[in-house]
Amino acid sequence: MTNIDDLRERVAQACRVLGTLDLTKAATGHVSARLPGTDRVFVRARGQDELGVRYTTAAEVIEVDLDGRAIGNPPGLVAPSEVFIHTSLYRARPEVNGVVHVHPSKVILFTICKKPLLPLFGAYDPSAAKLALDGIPTYERSITITTPELGADLVRAIGSKRVCLMRGHGITTAHQSVEEAALDAIALHELATINYEAALLGDPEPISEEDQVVFRSGRESRQYSAAGDGRPGGRAKAVWRYYTALTAS
Ligand SMILES: [Zn+2]
């Protein structure tokens, strides 16, 4: 398997993980990776024969340029209508090699009810805690991102962050590898799940100021830990292995 085939499979694998964890359902959502050092991108395609994000195969991952145009007319497959989420991020942020856009219902509830995602835990999941502590931007429009202009609009809302909520729509994450972008989506979903369940149970309180300082300044084990080659680094590699194994059964 060449590196290129490998990257196609890694995009498909990230789709299967996110589908298996119910971060999105049916055909909604897409995952992409930049071909290292190029202006080309592998993205999950849409097609009449597709089974949905959870069952994505490498054959359903197509190559597009930064204008969102499919390369080589893959039979029966087209770029997703929201391909501009991906291309706009790759265009604006050279350090980004992986992008995830999914529709996790638990997270969306917080944008609908305009409730913040609070830092309710620390050591339970330090990566998710840090997301909350760093602040999570929200893209206020609820429309489908079907043009380069809307893509640029979303990129402005994300700024230099790795994750973004999209009101009444979904989430977008961007990272140095497709696996880490998927891990951030999983962490965001975990943060929303705990916030949601804590609100049902009683009166959730953020962790203490003293502990917030610890997690805010804590070493980010997953952030930009690899050599910029679009592969996950450090601990992310091991965590990803676990999620990959979940999709094997
Ligand atoms: Zn969407």
Side-chain angles (χ1 to χ4, degrees):
M1 190 182 274
T2 66
N3 274 351
I4 296 296
D5 291 339
D6 179 45
L7 187 58
R8 226 182 258 274
E9 172 55 25
R10 285 167 57 204
V11 170
Q13 179 67 70
C15 290
R16 295 195 294 269
V17 166
L18 296 169
T20 299
L21 295 175
D22 279 335
L23 260 71
T24 204
K25 60 183 184 317
T28 55
H30 19 83
V31 172
S32 70
R34 190 202 300 266
L35 279 78
T38 75
D39 284 346
R40 296 293 172 86
V41 173
F42 279 149
V43 64
R44 176 190 135 75
R46 303 299 303 269
Q48 287 191 346
D49 296 330
E50 68 175 303
L51 254 182
V53 177
R54 183 171 180 171
Y55 303 101
T56 304
T57 64
E60 292 168 315
V61 175
I62 62 169
E63 187 176 341
V64 298
D65 63 20
L66 286 192
D67 292 321
R69 281 189 295 254
I71 309 292
N73 280 328
L77 295 170
V78 294
S81 62
E82 291 191 299
V83 69
F84 304 106
I85 292 175
H86 303 260
T87 54
S88 302
L89 273 162
Y90 292 123
R91 220 181 250 290
R93 294 182 48 187
E95 85 283 10
V96 167
N97 286 312
V99 173
V100 165
H101 170 65
V102 284
H103 298 175
S105 55
K106 275 274 172 53
V107 188
I108 303 316
L109 287 171
F110 285 82
T111 70
I112 294 168
C113 300
K114 300 201 175 185
K115 300 252 186 218
L117 288 166
L118 300 172
L120 299 182
F121 53 80
Y124 169 72
D125 187 339
S127 296
K130 189 158 169 54
L131 287 182
L133 289 164
D134 285 348
I136 301 168
T138 300
Y139 180 62
E140 296 293 341
R141 301 193 69 184
S142 304
I143 53 173
T144 312
I145 308 296
T146 52
T147 66
E149 291 72 28
L150 287 171
D153 211 20
L154 174 66
V155 167
R156 270 191 294 278
I158 298 176
S160 59
K161 302 282 188 182
R162 302 197 321 252
V163 301
C164 182
L165 311 181
M166 301 162 79
R167 188 177 300 288
H169 179 176
I171 64 168
T172 293
T173 67
H175 213 305
Q176 65 148 4
S177 72
V178 63
E179 290 85 356
E180 286 158 300
L183 286 171
D184 267 354
I186 293 166
L188 192 49
H189 182 247
E190 184 68 22
L191 180 67
T193 301
I194 294 292
N195 268 262
Y196 177 77
E197 291 177 359
L200 286 181
L201 192 61
D203 303 308
E205 277 187 36
I207 58 173
S208 71
E209 275 301 325
E210 183 187 9
D211 289 352
Q212 288 189 33
V213 170
V214 172
F215 286 100
R216 193 176 280 121
S217 60
R219 194 172 67 83
E220 169 61 78
S221 60
R222 297 212 297 246
Q223 188 178 14
Y224 304 109
S225 46
D229 58 357
R231 291 199 170 267
R235 201 165 142 56
K237 222 165 160 177
V239 177
W240 187 248
R241 202 173 297 128
Y242 163 76
Y243 287 116
T244 300
L246 287 185
T247 66
S249 53

